[in-house]
Amino acid sequence: MKKVEAIIRHFKLEEVKNALTEGGLTGMTITEVRGFGRQKGHTEMYRGTEYAVDFVPKVKVEVVCTDEQLQSVVDIMMQAAQTGQIGDGKIFVSDLANIIRIRTGETGQDAL
Amino acid sequence: MKKVEAIIRHFKLEEVKNALTEGGLTGMTITEVRGFGRQKGHTEMYRGTEYAVDFVPKVKVEVVCTDEQLQSVVDIMMQAAQTGQIGDGKIFVSDLANIIRIRTGETGQDAL
Amino acid sequence: MKKVEAIIRHFKLEEVKNALTEGGLTGMTITEVRGFGRQKGHTEMYRGTEYAVDFVPKVKVEVVCTDEQLQSVVDIMMQAAQTGQIGDGKIFVSDLANIIRIRTGETGQDAL
Amino acid sequence: MRRVRCGSVLLFVFFLLLFPQSLFAQEADPATNPGHLTWMLTSSALVLFMTAPGLAMFYSGLVRRKNVLGVMMQCLFLMGLMSVVWALWGYSLCFGGEGKFIGNFDHVFLKGLTMGTETPGELPGGEVPDLIFMIFQGMFFIITPALICGAFAERMKFSAMALFSVLWGTFVYCPLCHMVWGEGWLYYGSEGSLLGGALDFAGGTVVHISSGVSALLAAMMIGRRLGFGSEDMRPHNLTYTVLGAAMLWVGWFGFNAGSAVAANDSAANAFVVTHLSASAGALSWALIELIFRGKPGVLGTASGAVAGLVCITPAAGFVQPMPALAMGAIAGVVCYFACGKLKATFGYDDSLDAFGVHGVGGTLGAILTGVFATQQVYPDGPNGSVQLVIAQAAAVGVTVVLSLVVSFVLLKILDITIGLRISQEGEVRGLDIAEHGEEGYIS
Amino acid sequence: MRRVRCGSVLLFVFFLLLFPQSLFAQEADPATNPGHLTWMLTSSALVLFMTAPGLAMFYSGLVRRKNVLGVMMQCLFLMGLMSVVWALWGYSLCFGGEGKFIGNFDHVFLKGLTMGTETPGELPGGEVPDLIFMIFQGMFFIITPALICGAFAERMKFSAMALFSVLWGTFVYCPLCHMVWGEGWLYYGSEGSLLGGALDFAGGTVVHISSGVSALLAAMMIGRRLGFGSEDMRPHNLTYTVLGAAMLWVGWFGFNAGSAVAANDSAANAFVVTHLSASAGALSWALIELIFRGKPGVLGTASGAVAGLVCITPAAGFVQPMPALAMGAIAGVVCYFACGKLKATFGYDDSLDAFGVHGVGGTLGAILTGVFATQQVYPDGPNGSVQLVIAQAAAVGVTVVLSLVVSFVLLKILDITIGLRISQEGEVRGLDIAEHGEEGYIS
Amino acid sequence: MRRVRCGSVLLFVFFLLLFPQSLFAQEADPATNPGHLTWMLTSSALVLFMTAPGLAMFYSGLVRRKNVLGVMMQCLFLMGLMSVVWALWGYSLCFGGEGKFIGNFDHVFLKGLTMGTETPGELPGGEVPDLIFMIFQGMFFIITPALICGAFAERMKFSAMALFSVLWGTFVYCPLCHMVWGEGWLYYGSEGSLLGGALDFAGGTVVHISSGVSALLAAMMIGRRLGFGSEDMRPHNLTYTVLGAAMLWVGWFGFNAGSAVAANDSAANAFVVTHLSASAGALSWALIELIFRGKPGVLGTASGAVAGLVCITPAAGFVQPMPALAMGAIAGVVCYFACGKLKATFGYDDSLDAFGVHGVGGTLGAILTGVFATQQVYPDGPNGSVQLVIAQAAAVGVTVVLSLVVSFVLLKILDITIGLRISQEGEVRGLDIAEHGEEGYIS
Ligand SMILES: Nc1ncnc2c1ncn2[C@@H]1O[C@H](COP(=O)(O)OP(=O)(O)O)[C@@H](O)[C@H]1O
Ligand SMILES: Nc1ncnc2c1ncn2[C@@H]1O[C@H](COP(=O)(O)OP(=O)(O)O)[C@@H](O)[C@H]1O
Ligand SMILES: Nc1ncnc2c1ncn2[C@@H]1O[C@H](COP(=O)(O)OP(=O)(O)O)[C@@H](O)[C@H]1O
């Protein structure tokens, strides 16, 4: 089983969610994050004091899926989240040792 | 060493925390997240414009533990977080390559 | 490729970010979290009702890097985030199976 | 829903019937001093300002995030609902006729209210047009049930709250208001009044005790919130509560000094003592928290100000500045214990301390009015005396009994018919989504 | 930027020229009743209070988090900008001279305004000093363009908004205001007025219709927000919207009752009917949502209150309380449909429903004034009649045509020269960062 | 803590001693015009409204989230504390007797204040009852130390702040207020006054300069915030700051126009010039930011409005509208530089720019009053002249010296005894948790 974490732009969330749902994925978890990367931030100034705001608000989408689903999940995400501009974000893939559904206690792929 | 991530309901947080503490776990980190799954969201309507709100607020509990503790951590979490209703959430288990305590520089299990 | 997650104090964020940037790291993602550990929380009281607030606000810094960079990332983080007081936080290191840059579709180390 | 539809149709029929009808005779009266009129307009605006934004902010800051709109809605909706009820029959039941216990129907639909001030003897508010006296009093009719909402916050059905408020307004507030201010059974100096009648300048009994004890009863009948005592129920936004308290403080000048129904010495005195009592209340609650809690709390200071305001309300036109300082200081301390200890001891869940502040503070104020009243402030009234204290206590007693008995009946009926409490699932999701399909904050 | 720099230099030169000059003759006039003066000072403060915090909160709660400052800024900045314009030439164009369509330059830089009330016949505001009439009216000059901002919220350039407001104020508001209140072509009973002239007590045409229809046009010309219909555009902070609505309600007492320009029976009546209409509006919108949406919404209740306030505005000095209840109730229902259905049907993006509430509610109010006006409230005016309704409709027509034509020209010119809309990137980032380099909330 | 306990016991003893005593003689005075009274009641409410919610929102929005309650608490608590001090001895030290430098104890515990307006010559406020003059002035006594809190925000001990405020109020405010308004050494036209005395209509010296320079000193003595210059110290909630600024603007009408102590031409003029100066200040600060910063900031616009308000304060009853526009415009520009450049150059941490806005803006206003004052507005006063400018400057000088010297002594004493600054750990956690055991926002 795999965990796919994508850092994407806020206004792409809806699209990504819909694409994943259409792709048969039934669950995901999202988190508000702030990202630092090639995309430049901005500066703000308050009564003469300047602040460089390097972190850009992003949203992290976590999808846990089977090894077979992995490629399609990544493809779907990439397609839905892409604008072609710097700052589109990254997808990180890692292995999961186990999954448990709290409600039923099912484990492994059954828990998805 | 293992990382256990549980997506649970807000009002179960207190219980889970207490159960883990009683179970001898000394640390955890929590994050506000929003989840999409079988549990249905709701619709909102503002002056005639309707929005389907599919994401449900959840809280993610991350506990890092030794391989030996893993089973008990999972069991404790499952028991404390369960209501039996759709939306109880999932537990994801993954391997950690290393842990470092920033204060002391200790690594591995000593850092816990 | 490795994912390094550090739970640090808020007021160390700027320092950590700068140290990492100087160390040649080009990206990171941060999340507001709350931590429970040795560092004690505090109690609050509202019109006679007392609440023990065990969770302390922390910030999680996630840096994805190559295996070669790992040691330097960890060292940099540790140095920059350390105060020597209880509550400095932890660094968790895990393996990544893959990385994809959404904008270009590059994978693996190229995506960094 | 059928019920509601019928109701609204009925309402419309009323309107249609009434349009072309002449409701009041316009007679310019040169005697109306624009200064008095201005003060009463300003005061009316200030009292509305108390309900919202004031109370809406004060209360909504104290609940959890998921209920913030639910609480604000209670205030906002009651502004609409109670005002309409007031215009249709509330005012008349309060100030119509010379009955001992309740008004009559002389002024339903605001019939017979004139602009001139030369009004027939049975109407109070001599210094300003009846219409303005009516609107000023109407603002009290809004805030009183809104205060009760603090007790059953975060769990009561919106529909039940609305119906309860209408019924409570009609069957508790109207008789009480008539008895106390409509020259009825509790009015000081009126013929045949209870032990000579009681002093209540701006609503110690009518507003605060009535709402406070009804609130306590409601909290007990509806039961505690899910997770009470175990879950995190800290106020989600104390900044709102502080700002709301400050707005209440400002608005209270209209409440108390406006109750002079003229811009005169009585209003001036009421203004001053109101401010001083609030100040002393804020200070004394902060100090007692410093002693017992180790730190002066922000919520405590805000609550102390409100306690001071509540306590001086019945006394505002009768007591001098220094006693006002004392009243506020005492109120801060007494309400501190009422909120902190009573609830813990008896285990009820008066969520926002409607009883602890308004019930207790109002009672305290009513009694202390009997102690500190002086003819030097209000020459036509009594000086403080044991006798007056007893009369005040009697008025408190009548208020408590009336409020409890009628509220109990109303709540029972509502509980049996439509139910008082929202579903468990609704309570977990929060009033905002469950009852209104909206969210307070979107990040 | 060059343009702006020149502008500011010019402004300074103006000031420098004007310093030592005598602008008004100070003549103590014993006839000015301090009660009237107090009411007008209070009302002026209340109307400013409407724009900010009132409207600023009401509107800013409805947008997305990233635009919260942008919206507040529009209100705040217009308080500065429009006031200066008003003092320099706006007031004069509204109330100078006896022209039929627009004022003259008699009072530019506030020349010739006296403190005494014995003012030459061409100046209104007999009960209070000219200067106070000026400042009260100036508050209207601020809020009217601020209302328009609701339509193009979240996407208009700040500079374009500022310039548009100045031009719109000068070329739409000033003529309209002069025609309606400056004894011009639309003034009731003035010589040669259109069909005898129309009644507009506090700004149904001048303020609400003019801003409402201009807002609709602006929304259509500037186009929909990026992601309209697909992205999550829920109000980011409905608590602000509720609190803002309550503040608008309170402030509106100054708006309407202040429009009597004295603390007299007319003010008293305006106060009462304003409150009742707002109440009925809140109630009726909540009820219609209960029927069609299943739940009474908080935003709906707040919107209903505002709709009721808008609708009663032109009528406040002419109608009785019961008709006011009816007007509010009707406004709540009509505006509910205007906001919910019209927008969906025609697909424009009037982001905060400036048209649906102010345009529609104002029109409704203007017409219903023709129905419910009665000499029992305003003895010198007409009773409701078909004829009056027609005159009212004619005034509405003139207002709509003037607003649309002039606004169209102004917007076109601005679009061609400096552009109306911010860059796509700016829109995605939000007005706060893009236009002002600041953020509303830092966690 | 022992200290505090004793203090509160003492307070209670005072109360107990004073209850039954007759504090003022009630004499109905038919000459008190209800219009004047109403204006002063309204103004008093408005000035309280400035401190909270106004200043509380304005200031608290500017700090970091973890200190939001701490800042609000300072405003709220001072409302309680300073009012009690005012009633006990503050008023008397300001307005008792005919001393040149400070009042006497004639009116401690508000002794001898009458309701009638026929008051002995030594008491000002002829148009309204003494009691109302007292309460109006008392509101100034609250806000002045609250303004200082902006300088040492986010790091001062609550207890030190409270004690400092009481002492500062007693030893800086009271003498200054007496000298300027109590017909003392700086009062215009009083016998033996410094260079003939200075004009200060509503508190340029007494309120703004005194608080501004004391604030600067306090900021320097307490030192910079931890992490100043390196950590992110952006305002956590600029929406509060904007709303607070708007509330200050509205409340300032009471502050300035109320300072006429009657609803007369002077009040009317003060109202108008206050509004225009605020407008021009908002505009000019926004424009200068457009030039130097590339974008007009929201914080800048709000600050500009406040700067304009501060600057017109001493002048409000003496200057005409066009000069008021100029004064506001100049204040916006000057304070922009004072906040942006001075701080950076000298490296002190006046966290919320209490000095940059109030100290600098107040000084500017005091001087410009000497330039623009005209008998056309205030016939009994002087016209602007070099001589008057010098007298104004002298008054500024006295204010600065007095404020600096006394504040220095007080702060030193407090620093040595109880310490001015909270612990490092407390500062990192934030005032809310460290000093009050509460949190502002719970998500
Ligand atoms: N090394 C990294 N570790 C963790 N997160 C990263 C890393 N690099 C980039 N990110 C995340 O991806 C986001 C987008 O990266 P950025 O370099 O701005 O654009 P792009 O992905 O288009 O090259 C960043 O805002 C950050 O959240
Ligand atoms: N595939 C998934 N990837 C990541 N998170 C998931 C996934 N499926 C479910 N979740 C998380 O678990 C939560 C509960 O899932 P849900 O399907 O609603 O109920 P249940 O776990 O009881 O079947 C979701 O809200 C979401 O946060
Ligand atoms: N077992 C754990 N799993 C996950 N997070 C942990 C764990 N232990 C500690 N943490 C995180 O690290 C933070 C610091 O830990 P703490 O025990 O307070 O101090 P220290 O790291 O200095 O010993 C905690 O607030 C929590 O966020």
Side-chain angles (χ1 to χ4, degrees), chain B residues 3 5 10 13-14 17-18 21 25-32 59-60 62 64 95-106 110-112, chain C residues 2-3 5-8 31-38 52 54-55 60 74 77-78 81-82 84-95:
Chain B
K3 176 156 95 170
E5 288 173 284
H10 267 97
L13 176 59
E14 196 70 15
K17 187 202 71 187
N18 292 340
T21 317
L25 274 297
T26 56
M28 73 192 75
T29 301
I30 65 171
T31 316
E32 299 291 328
V59 61
K60 183 201 273 189
E62 276 172 274
V64 171
D95 287 304
L96 275 193
N98 200 2
I99 311 176
I100 300 100
R101 168 177 285 131
I102 293 174
R103 172 162 49 97
T104 57
E106 288 158 291
D110 299 339
L112 280 180
Chain C
K2 291 281 185 287
K3 177 156 95 171
E5 287 173 284
I7 319 286
I8 63 170
T31 316
E32 298 291 327
V33 300
R34 287 180 290 152
F36 177 85
R38 276 176 196 78
D54 299 324
F55 291 101
K60 183 201 271 188
V74 169
M77 278 184 161
M78 221 185 69
Q82 208 175 50
Q85 307 290 314
I86 285 179
D88 275 354
K90 320 263 188 226
I91 300 174
F92 304 135
V93 181
S94 55
D95 287 304

Side-chain angles (χ1 to χ4, degrees), chain E residues 235-295:
Chain E
H236 91 284
N237 191 342
L238 266 194
T239 70
Y240 275 16
T241 300
V242 174
L243 297 171
M247 291 177 183
L248 284 172
W249 190 329
V250 170
W252 224 291
F253 292 131
F255 200 91
N256 283 3
S259 288
V261 198
N264 55 16
D265 285 359
S266 183
N269 188 79
F271 194 103
V272 170
V273 297
T274 297
H275 182 67
L276 293 180
S277 181
S279 301
L283 206 56
S284 77
W285 193 313
L287 288 177
I288 197 125
E289 283 200 348
L290 178 60
I291 296 169
F292 284 101
R293 181 179 172 275
K295 290 166 182 171

Side-chain angles (χ1 to χ4, degrees), chain A residues 11 14 34 39-47 53 56-57, chain E residues 69 230-232 425 428-429 433 436-440 442-443:
Chain A
F11 69 88
E14 196 71 15
R34 287 179 291 151
Q39 185 187 5
K40 70 175 203 317
H42 61 273
T43 58
E44 301 181 1
M45 200 191 256
Y46 298 90
R47 283 204 197 133
V53 181
V56 182
Chain E
L69 289 182
S230 64
E231 268 177 57
D232 183 353
E425 206 214 309
V428 169
R429 280 233 162 147
I433 291 172
H436 307 294
E438 294 163 321
E439 285 182 69
I442 308 286
S443 57

Side-chain angles (χ1 to χ4, degrees), chain C residues 11 40-42 44-46, chain F residues 231 428-429 433 437-439:
Chain C
F11 70 87
K40 70 177 203 315
H42 60 275
E44 301 180 2
M45 198 191 258
Y46 298 91
Chain F
E231 269 177 58
V428 170
R429 282 234 160 146
I433 290 173
E438 294 164 322
E439 284 182 69

Side-chain angles (χ1 to χ4, degrees), chain E residues 1-16 77 81 84-85 88-89 163 166, chain F residues 283-284 286-288 290-291 329:
Chain E
M1 207 144 95
R2 187 147 298 264
R3 238 184 332 264
V4 175
R5 228 174 268 178
C6 294
S8 68
V9 165
L10 242 119
L11 223 84
F12 271 86
V13 170
F14 271 151
F15 292 151
L16 291 171
F77 186 77
L81 181 64
V84 172
V85 171
L88 297 184
W89 67 81
L163 285 174
V166 171
Chain F
L283 207 57
S284 77
L287 288 177
I288 198 125
L290 178 61
I291 296 169

Side-chain angles (χ1 to χ4, degrees), chain F residues 28 30 39 43 52 55 147 277 312 399 415 421 432:
Chain F
W39 179 237
S43 291
L55 188 68
L147 289 172
S277 181
I312 200 68
T399 306
D415 199 13
R421 194 161 178 149
D432 299 4

